[in-house]
Structures are given as C-alpha cells and as structure tokens.
C-alpha cells in the first residue's frame, strides 16, 4: 500500500506533521511517498521515499498537482492500493490502511461539511454564484450521481487509471484553467466530482473527516463525545458551521491544520491517547 502527499517548502511543516500522525499506522507493507515541489527535504521517517518534482507552470495553484501525481504513483507502484492526503491533515487513531482497500473504478472520497460548495462575487449589487454546473454541462454530465465529495483525502486502486487520466486532463486543460472561476470554483475538486458523476459513482467514504483546526474538537471526536453534531468554532460567511461530526467511529482524519500552534498540541494528543 502507498500513501502519498506533496508540498512546497512553505508547507513542509504541515506535511511532516501529517506523516508523523501516522506513526502508529505505518506497517512494513506501507510506503510513504512524499513529493517535494521545488525543494529537497531532509526529513526522514519509516518507509519514507522522497521525490523532488519541479513546479508546473500550467497549474495555477498546488491543488491541481494531485491529479498528475496520482497517475505517477500508480506508475511507480503498479498493482497496489493507494491513498492520497492533503498536507493539512492529521490522522485519527481510527484510521487503518487495511480497512480501506476498495476495488471500485473510481476513487473513494469523503463527504464534507458543505453539500453544495460554491464561490461568489458581488457585481453592481448582484451576487453571482459559481458552482459545478458549468463544468457539468461542458463535460455532458446531466446530474449528480451522489453527494459532493471532497478531494483532501481519497483511496484508489489500479482500476481507477481511466478516472485519473480524465481528471488530470481536465486539470491540464488551459482553456478551462484560464476560465477557472467559472469551471473550477473549488479548484481541482470541481473536476474531481464531475469526473465521479460522469461515471455514475455511488460509493464513497461517507462523513469520514472533520474539517477543523481545533484540539478541543479532536478530543470530542476521539473520546466519542460528539455525534450527529455541529461543533461551534468554525463558521463561514454564510453562517454554515464547518465542524460537522456524524459518527465519531467513522472519522479517519482531521482536515484544516495549518498553524504549528494548532498542530503541535493536537499531534502530541493523537500520538499519546
């Protein structure tokens, strides 16, 4: 099994902390693959392989790299099971690699706190909404086949190659990239979901992560003191609470840890409970 992530030098602390959160989970059959964008890392860890990748001028942000790197990972480690994670993630003690080996022809990802994410702008007093609808129309997808999934973490297998080839081609499409406000309102994640719906995907990981950067929230989940609950402390401009917990037994990870002030005490807690 192979888990991969990537970062530039600025986000290396997050990547290192993410990997460290797997300290109790890395068995001999798990490879940790760390792609470093434009720099060489001195970090060492059990079963860690580091590969330097030069920056890609055709990607507007780092979000889009994961589509290509999923294919590269499959090429480097054929006929295996694969996991991708964002760097601003800390893994729950619930997570075990062996529990999440699937054979679907598309990746398995998690629901997030928003079912219909979008961006907007105000033009002459009118609010204009940008969501996935224009991308769906462009690729001939008439409807969702399941709820929107978030691309901060997913697991996949060799049968997903066709998915990732199309997903990567979407993210490399310069016509769409130049109009990304309309076609990629949530960066690569818009393409990720349209690619899922195009294949009539119906299987997923459910609510398997919590969007948070707070140790108190992590404690509530790990200690099974939150269920079917919105936890106060992370509300967006529309009043939507991003810290939703459905079932703490199904939570695999926590997404949103960026500051060392938040990461350090939470990582210490997770590694010692």
């Amino acid at each position: 099994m192979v888990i991969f992530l990537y970062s530039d030098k600025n986000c290396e602390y997050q990547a290192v902390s993410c990997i460290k959160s797997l300290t109790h989970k890395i068995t001999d059959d798990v490879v940790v693959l760390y792609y470093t964008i434009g720099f060489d890392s001195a970090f060492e860890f059990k079963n860690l392989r580091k590969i330097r990748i030069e920056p890609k001028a055709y990607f507007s942000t780092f979000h889009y790299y994961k589509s290509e790197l999923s294919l590269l990972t499959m090429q480097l480690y054929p006929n295996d099971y694969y996991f991708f994670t964002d760097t601003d993630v800390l893994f729950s003690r619930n997570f075990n690699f062996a529990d999440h080996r699937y054979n679907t022809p598309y990746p398995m990802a998690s629901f997030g706190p928003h079912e219909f994410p979008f961006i907007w702008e105000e033009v002459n007093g009118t609010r204009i909404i940008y969501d996935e609808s224009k991308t769906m129309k462009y690729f001939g997808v008439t409807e969702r086949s399941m709820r929107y999934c978030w691309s901060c973490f997913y697991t996949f297998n060799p049968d997903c190659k066709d998915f990732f080839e199309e997903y990567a081609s979407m993210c490399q499409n310069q016509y769409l990239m130049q109009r990304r406000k309309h076609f990629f309102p949530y960066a690569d994640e818009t393409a990720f979901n349209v690619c899922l719906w195009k294949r009539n995907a119906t299987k997923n990981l459910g609510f398997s992560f919590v969007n948070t950067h707070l140790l108190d929230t992590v404690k509530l989940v790990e200690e099974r003191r939150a269920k079917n609950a919105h936890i106060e402390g992370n509300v967006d401009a529309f009043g939507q609470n991003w810290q939703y917990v459905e079932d703490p037994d199904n939570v695999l990870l926590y997404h949103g840890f960026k500051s060392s002030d938040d990461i350090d005490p939470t990582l210490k807690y997770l590694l010692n409970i």
Side-chain angles (χ1 to χ4, degrees):
M1 293 174 285
V2 183
I3 183 166
F4 82 90
L5 72 170
Y6 62 91
S7 80
D8 62 3
K9 182 62 178 177
N10 291 333
C11 293
E12 184 181 23
Y13 190 82
Q14 295 175 21
V16 167
S17 299
C18 177
I19 294 169
K20 286 181 177 178
S21 73
L22 291 167
T23 295
H24 301 305
K25 306 298 181 178
I26 303 298
T27 51
D28 291 341
D29 60 340
V30 175
V31 174
V32 180
L33 186 55
Y34 179 26
Y35 295 106
T36 57
I37 311 300
F39 78 104
D40 296 310
S41 174
F43 176 60
E44 297 294 341
F45 196 75
K46 179 181 179 181
N47 298 358
L48 177 66
R49 179 182 179 186
K50 296 171 289 187
I51 299 178
R52 177 175 175 143
I53 301 291
E54 296 308 317
K56 308 287 187 181
Y58 50 83
F59 288 145
S60 61
T61 70
F62 281 123
H63 301 89
Y64 297 94
Y65 280 69
K66 70 183 71 138
S67 59
E68 278 192 8
L69 294 179
S70 294
L71 287 170
L72 178 56
T73 302
M74 295 171 76
Q75 178 183 337
L76 292 172
Y77 295 90
N79 303 315
D80 212 328
Y81 289 96
Y82 315 98
F83 301 78
F84 164 75
T85 179
D86 274 354
T87 59
D88 59 341
V89 160
L90 295 177
F91 282 88
S92 167
R93 291 300 294 265
N94 289 337
F95 178 75
N96 289 296
F97 286 97
D99 295 339
H100 299 285
R101 295 179 292 189
Y102 305 100
N103 294 306
T104 53
Y106 50 82
M108 297 281 282
S110 173
F111 299 152
H114 273 302
E115 185 173 3
F116 298 96
F118 60 86
I119 62 172
W120 79 96
E121 64 177 345
E122 300 283 347
V123 179
N124 297 324
T126 300
R127 178 169 290 176
I128 299 176
I129 301 295
Y130 303 103
D131 58 19
E132 73 273 9
S133 56
K134 194 164 186 175
T135 316
M136 291 175 69
K137 183 177 180 180
Y138 186 88
F139 287 100
V141 179
T142 57
E143 61 182 1
R144 292 179 169 199
S145 59
M146 64 177 177
R147 181 184 170 120
Y148 185 100
C149 289
W150 292 46
S151 63
C152 57
F153 172 84
Y154 52 78
T155 178
F156 57 109
N157 65 80
D159 291 338
C160 300
K161 184 179 179 182
D162 182 76
F163 173 96
F164 283 103
E165 287 176 339
E166 184 168 26
Y167 174 36
S169 74
M170 289 178 176
C171 294
Q172 294 164 3
N173 187 315
Q174 292 306 293
Y175 174 83
L176 300 180
M177 192 65 71
Q178 290 167 13
R179 298 159 177 81
R180 59 185 177 274
K181 179 171 68 176
H182 301 275
F183 288 102
F184 298 138
Y186 260 65
D188 72 286
E189 196 169 85
T190 305
F192 184 84
N193 277 275
V194 171
C195 215
L196 286 171
W197 300 330
K198 187 176 180 182
R199 287 160 175 75
N200 295 311
T202 56
K203 295 182 180 180
N204 51 71
L205 299 176
F207 286 98
S208 62
F209 79 88
V210 178
N211 211 80
T212 189
H213 64 281
L214 301 175
L215 172 58
D216 287 345
T217 298
V218 172
K219 286 182 175 180
L220 287 174
V221 177
E222 296 292 316
E223 296 166 15
R224 304 303 191 267
R225 292 186 285 121
K227 187 172 184 177
N228 295 319
H230 286 92
I231 302 169
E232 294 183 3
N234 194 355
V235 177
D236 66 18
F238 290 96
Q240 177 71 43
N241 190 318
W242 283 55
Q243 294 190 125
Y244 177 68
V245 181
E246 183 184 64
D247 185 345
D249 290 336
N250 294 335
V251 171
L252 306 178
L253 55 110
Y254 304 94
H255 175 244
F257 279 92
K258 294 178 168 61
S259 166
S260 60
D261 291 340
D262 298 321
I263 291 171
D264 292 350
T266 307
L267 181 60
K268 181 178 180 180
Y269 167 79
L270 287 169
L271 293 181
N272 289 284
I273 57 175

